[in-house]
Amino acid sequence: MSVRGLRPGRRRLHGSQGRASAPRPDRPGNGWRNHHGLPAGPPLGLGGLPFESAEFSLPEGSVLALFTDGLVERRDRDIDEGYRLLHEAVAAPPTASLDAQCGAVIEALLPGGAPDDDVALLMARTRVLDAAHVATWEIPDDPASCGTARKDIDEQLTRWELQEAVFTTELVVTELIANAIRHASGPIRLRLILDRTLIIEVSDTSSTAPHLRRAAGFDEGGRGLMLVAQLTQRWGARHSTDGKTIWAELQLPDNYAGFDGAATR
């Protein structure tokens, strides 16, 4: 199955693939379909092995189809025929919802019901956030920059009417920036993305993946990522050709009415 991430506001898809299999189809909104080759990687869940990634552009409104090989590979059918059926099913006129479209694809490829192997299918439609919902800062490689970043965050979240999230966001950003300064060199980029959640991204030039560890009572460090994990809904890392990005998501307040203002950065 492919593991992919769409970068908000950039129309760029960043992806890697667990297990070796053929490219996957996608279908932009105008009906054209294509398959993008991803480098083959080790099976998901094996742990400890790196994944080579690829990045490419997608038009807004594209529909991605991500699936396991059990969907197209059967004992009584050639795999090329399976891919042909998948292309036809994905390219069919869209239904009212992606849930219904997933059902139609499954019905087209597995009309007899029980498959020969485990089957998973995930379909997602891309959209692009406008500039008003994304704020980006270049952070100097200096510990004093954490204070400046907190001030910028305070101002930006106030514009987004998210004052309630300021304190937690400042804590998470401070830990991620401090971690980047301590373990990487060169430029650091901070980005906030306001979507269904508040997404925090800190990018640096190091390719070293972060690891959670439990600090002992007298350890001076080792608590930063543990704090991030406790304060956020989820967090993770993605690698690129020029380094990595640590991201974290904060849940928006239940009473948040949304933001519909002008771009500020």
Side-chain angles (χ1 to χ4, degrees):
M1 178 180 286
S2 302
V3 179
R4 305 177 177 184
L6 187 64
R7 300 191 179 183
R10 294 184 57 189
R11 295 190 177 98
R12 302 291 293 173
L13 187 71
H14 187 86
S16 57
Q17 180 173 248
R19 300 181 63 182
S21 58
R24 308 298 188 242
D26 62 61
R27 179 173 56 81
N30 62 5
W32 175 77
R33 65 185 184 274
N34 190 21
H35 54 264
H36 291 282
L38 290 174
L44 297 178
L46 191 60
L49 298 175
F51 288 87
E52 184 181 356
S53 62
E55 186 173 294
F56 43 87
S57 298
L58 285 178
E60 183 174 9
S62 297
V63 174
L64 303 175
L66 300 90
F67 57 93
T68 55
D69 54 4
L71 183 65
V72 294
E73 190 173 3
R74 297 181 61 174
R75 296 188 186 94
D76 59 349
R77 184 177 66 201
D78 184 78
I79 191 170
D80 290 335
E81 175 66 9
Y83 277 111
R84 185 188 67 80
L85 293 172
L86 177 61
H87 276 238
E88 292 178 355
V90 171
T95 56
S97 70
L98 288 180
D99 282 342
Q101 193 167 356
C102 275
V105 172
I106 293 293
E107 178 63 28
L109 275 89
L110 302 172
D116 296 332
D117 195 2
D118 293 337
V119 172
L121 171 64
L122 172 65
M123 301 186 75
R125 181 174 289 109
T126 64
R127 64 187 182 92
V128 178
L129 289 174
D130 59 64
H133 290 75
V134 181
T136 306
W137 300 270
E138 299 300 323
I139 306 297
D141 188 6
D142 180 355
S145 61
C146 290
T148 304
R150 286 193 293 268
K151 179 176 179 295
D152 291 336
I153 289 167
D154 192 329
E155 294 175 352
Q156 185 62 50
L157 293 186
T158 299
R159 295 187 189 101
W160 284 342
E161 302 176 9
L162 276 172
Q163 293 90 335
E164 186 177 336
V166 168
F167 180 72
T168 302
T169 305
E170 287 181 348
L171 282 177
V172 172
V173 167
T174 297
E175 292 297 338
L176 294 182
I177 291 178
N179 192 65
I181 292 172
R182 186 178 301 114
H183 299 291
S185 60
I188 299 170
R189 186 178 68 251
L190 166 64
R191 186 162 68 155
L192 296 184
I193 302 164
L194 178 59
D195 194 10
R196 295 183 180 91
T197 59
L198 179 63
I199 304 170
I200 302 165
E201 295 184 346
V202 174
S203 304
D204 59 53
T205 57
S206 171
S207 59
T208 303
H211 296 285
L212 278 175
R213 70 183 181 91
R214 188 173 297 278
F218 294 100
D219 288 350
E220 294 184 359
R223 297 176 177 83
L225 286 178
M226 185 65 71
L227 179 63
V228 170
Q230 292 294 321
L231 292 175
T232 61
Q233 192 172 17
R234 53 181 168 260
W235 72 280
R238 66 172 182 265
H239 293 268
S240 62
T241 56
D242 55 357
K244 69 174 181 301
T245 296
I246 309 298
W247 56 267
E249 291 188 22
L250 291 174
Q251 187 171 355
L252 298 177
D254 293 337
N255 60 352
Y256 184 57
F259 171 76
D260 190 23
T264 55
R265 290 188 64 84

